[in-house]
Amino acid sequence: MAELLRTPLHGWHVANKARMVPFAGWEMPVQYAGIIPEHTAVRTGCGLFDVSHMGRLEFPGTDARPLLEEVFTNSVSTMKNGQVRYGLVCRDDGGILDDVLVYRWGAGEFSMVVNGSNREKIAAWLKTQAGKLGNGSGAIDHTFDTCLIAVQGPKAVELVSGLFGTDVSDLKYYFARITTYRGEWCMVSRTGYTGEDGFEVSVANKLAAPLWEELIGRGAVACGLGARDTLRLEAAMPLYGHELNEQTDPISAGLGWAVKFDKEFVGRNALQNLPPGRPLRVGLELEGKRAAREGSEVFADGSQVGTVTSGSFVPHLQKSIAMAYLPRAFATPGTEVLIDLRGTKVPAKVVLLPFYKRSK
Amino acid sequence: MSNPATLRYATSHEWVKLDGDVATVGVTKFAVEQLTEPTFLELKKVGLTVKPGDEIGIIESVKSTSSIYAPVAGQVVEVNAAAVNDLAKVNDDPFGSGWMLKIQLAPGATLDHLLTAAQYDAQIAGH
């Protein structure tokens, strides 16, 4: 097995007793004090996540708009400077290669954040598509040049106050700004993967530990990938490799809002002509505290109708929840199903997503 | 390592304390730490006859579901309902108030196949 990659904060994680696990080719903290207190910190205060494993791609020296319009299901042409947009990168057959964020910095100037596990695949895909279009040579991978720290929770705005060269409290949701931290380049976006307000902050590697420690000093709680997973599950955000993969499509995944059919893109034809009867992503709430796990089978009317893609007992809602793909006939909220947990069939019902939505 | 020398251990991370012919069974501190904070515990009922390796319970955390196995042969004679109802006992005091079941040893059953604390320390070393 190849050696695991380490983020600029690896030393801090180890020194602070994080449990380190392999994730997407990186050695990452899964938890420090515990998933439950970390999860709670993000819902009630502020949590910090090292997400430097996320792939950061840039498109220097070329107008990247035609390429991005071709590979991205959401609209690129309608983006404003500083705007961030979520969408999918699909194959010709509509299968999802990744879910990504596109950032617009200026006319023709864009960057992209991709899942750590898909970084090399997407970089290769962009190169191929750029070749086909005759539009530049694809993306440059800048993942190793900077760190990425997510500052998440209702107290995030208060916590970063005065930290950067320019105020970021006025930054709108899904907008980003280039500013400075300790006089050096810094990128701040009003984005996240927890269902809370917050920022994702990128600084040069040498400033990763100073920024992290300054935020800890201001009262942020270090959180690992364990809490990140339970937080995104409560917020019903899909995770690549679980709800999303090359065999799933954005429409069935409930991400149709991020697919714009009024433009051309790879996979458009397939997504407009999906065969009927594709199962849909649904939320499930289980009776009791036992958790469904990825792979747990879902039964209705005496036969298996689907499979759980993510599930856990979640700390904030204090419920056992799961996501699964179920046929349309069973996807209506209120539908009762059974989930097989190691031979015991536990009752569950289909519920509206998201499970958790923050109060504004 | 914090594994009491007076206990014996299964490779699957259960501990056993013998009083006469009744074995008190729990899971080790190491197992609880690996599992992360427990969110659910279900134990088999009093009266069940078990042999080593039989499932005697399920413990869940936010991240995972794990089986608890009988380390000895015998009959379940007591279940720690207080631990089932208050998982903090398992999390905070796995070798004490977080014990799980008592098993009356079957005739001729022993703890000889189980690890000593030193052997168990060696098993979990490096984690």
Side-chain angles (χ1 to χ4, degrees):
Chain A
M1 191 178 140
E3 191 132 325
L4 293 171
L5 299 166
R6 292 179 170 185
T7 80
L9 292 164
H10 183 273
W12 193 94
H13 302 321
V14 171
N16 286 273
K17 306 262 187 308
R19 184 179 304 167
M20 306 299 287
V21 296
F23 182 81
W26 296 73
E27 191 180 352
M28 298 298 289
V30 68
Q31 66 164 70
Y32 306 81
I35 292 171
I36 295 171
E38 291 166 25
H39 183 112
T40 304
V42 173
R43 289 278 178 256
T44 60
C46 186
L48 276 192
F49 301 82
D50 178 6
V51 288
S52 304
H53 64 293
M54 301 290 288
R56 270 71 52 72
L57 306 178
E58 290 177 24
F59 305 87
T62 179
D63 179 358
R65 193 190 55 78
L67 172 61
L68 288 171
E69 209 65 281
E70 176 76 2
V71 300
F72 189 56
T73 59
N74 211 335
S75 171
V76 178
S77 299
T78 56
M79 289 177 75
K80 300 184 173 81
N81 285 347
Q83 195 169 2
V84 185
R85 201 161 263 177
Y86 175 86
L88 296 307
V89 176
C90 288
R91 307 193 302 199
D92 267 323
D93 67 358
I96 301 171
L97 286 164
D98 200 9
D99 62 335
V100 307
L101 293 182
V102 167
Y103 294 65
R104 176 181 155 137
W105 299 108
E109 250 182 278
F110 294 89
S111 62
M112 186 187 270
V113 175
V114 306
N115 278 298
S117 54
N118 291 330
R119 179 172 50 87
E120 286 166 339
K121 179 177 82 174
I122 294 301
W125 179 257
L126 289 167
K127 189 174 177 188
T128 304
Q129 296 303 319
K132 280 188 188 173
L133 278 178
N135 178 242
S137 52
I140 306 286
D141 186 350
H142 278 283
T143 307
F144 302 100
D145 300 346
T146 58
C147 73
L148 187 62
I149 296 171
V151 189
Q152 300 280 299
K155 296 200 172 135
V157 172
E158 186 188 320
L159 221 92
V160 303
S161 173
L163 205 57
F164 305 114
T166 49
D167 179 35
V168 293
S169 65
D170 64 328
L171 205 52
K172 290 197 200 105
Y173 191 55
Y174 269 67
F175 274 81
R177 183 173 294 164
I178 304 295
T179 176
T180 55
Y181 176 67
R182 300 197 181 187
E184 299 203 37
W185 177 91
C186 170
M187 191 276 283
V188 181
S189 65
R190 195 81 176 252
T191 51
Y193 192 53
T194 59
E196 294 301 329
D197 188 16
F199 303 94
E200 289 173 305
V201 185
S202 193
V203 292
N205 287 339
K206 63 174 180 178
L207 286 175
L211 173 61
W212 181 274
E213 285 176 346
E214 191 164 6
L215 288 163
I216 295 283
R218 289 174 169 220
V221 173
C223 300
L225 295 180
R228 187 170 156 86
D229 191 41
T230 53
L231 287 158
R232 70 91 197 169
L233 174 60
E234 270 185 353
M237 291 167 161
L239 174 59
Y240 198 89
H242 295 260
E243 286 71 39
L244 311 180
N245 57 50
E246 292 182 21
Q247 281 67 52
T248 59
D249 68 84
I251 310 300
S252 309
L255 302 173
W257 58 271
V259 180
K260 298 292 182 255
F261 286 116
D262 58 2
K263 63 154 198 166
E264 289 299 329
F265 62 88
V266 178
R268 177 176 180 269
N269 192 43
L271 294 179
Q272 270 191 316
N273 298 288
L274 284 175
R278 301 263 293 177
L280 305 175
R281 178 166 67 102
V282 302
L284 295 167
E285 198 175 299
L286 284 75
E287 277 182 22
K289 297 182 97 175
R290 285 197 66 185
R293 307 292 181 187
E294 181 180 13
S296 297
E297 296 174 349
V298 183
F299 289 81
D301 298 345
S303 54
Q304 191 191 344
V305 293
T307 307
V308 167
T309 50
S310 296
S312 184
F313 181 81
V314 284
H316 182 76
L317 296 175
Q318 288 281 307
K319 282 177 184 171
S320 175
I321 59 173
M323 291 193 277
Y325 278 90
L326 296 185
R328 191 174 292 273
F330 300 101
T332 314
T335 305
E336 291 180 356
V337 298
L338 295 170
I339 304 182
D340 190 325
L341 303 182
R342 297 180 166 214
T344 305
K345 289 210 171 64
V346 175
K349 66 171 195 289
V350 176
V351 295
L352 273 177
L353 294 178
F355 304 101
Y356 167 84
K357 197 171 188 350
R358 74 175 187 268
S359 47
K360 301 257 166 149
Chain B
M1 283 296 165
S2 54
N3 297 299
T6 51
L7 307 180
R8 298 294 288 264
Y9 300 86
T11 53
S12 48
H13 308 288
E14 294 82 10
W15 58 260
V16 181
K17 185 175 114 193
L18 194 61
D19 293 301
D21 64 349
V22 175
T24 303
V25 176
V27 300
T28 65
K29 189 163 192 291
F30 174 80
V32 171
E33 283 171 359
Q34 289 296 306
L35 191 67
T36 74
E37 308 100 307
T39 54
F40 175 85
L41 174 65
E42 185 177 78
L43 297 170
K44 297 287 191 191
K45 303 228 167 3
V46 168
L48 182 73
T49 300
V50 296
K51 60 183 189 305
D54 286 355
E55 189 179 85
I56 51 172
I58 289 171
I59 186 163
E60 296 203 4
S61 69
V62 168
K63 289 302 284 180
S64 64
T65 303
S66 304
S67 294
I68 304 163
Y69 299 104
V72 293
Q75 189 174 32
V76 177
V77 291
E78 197 178 337
V79 171
N80 187 0
V84 171
N85 294 327
D86 179 13
L87 292 169
K89 287 184 164 54
V90 177
N91 193 51
D92 302 340
D93 190 17
F95 292 118
S97 63
W99 65 273
M100 291 179 178
L101 306 120
K102 292 188 179 179
I103 297 173
Q104 182 156 32
L105 293 191
T110 68
L111 274 56
D112 294 349
H113 59 291
L114 296 171
L115 305 177
T116 64
Q119 288 167 328
Y120 182 66
D121 285 350
Q123 183 194 320
I124 64 179
H127 279 276

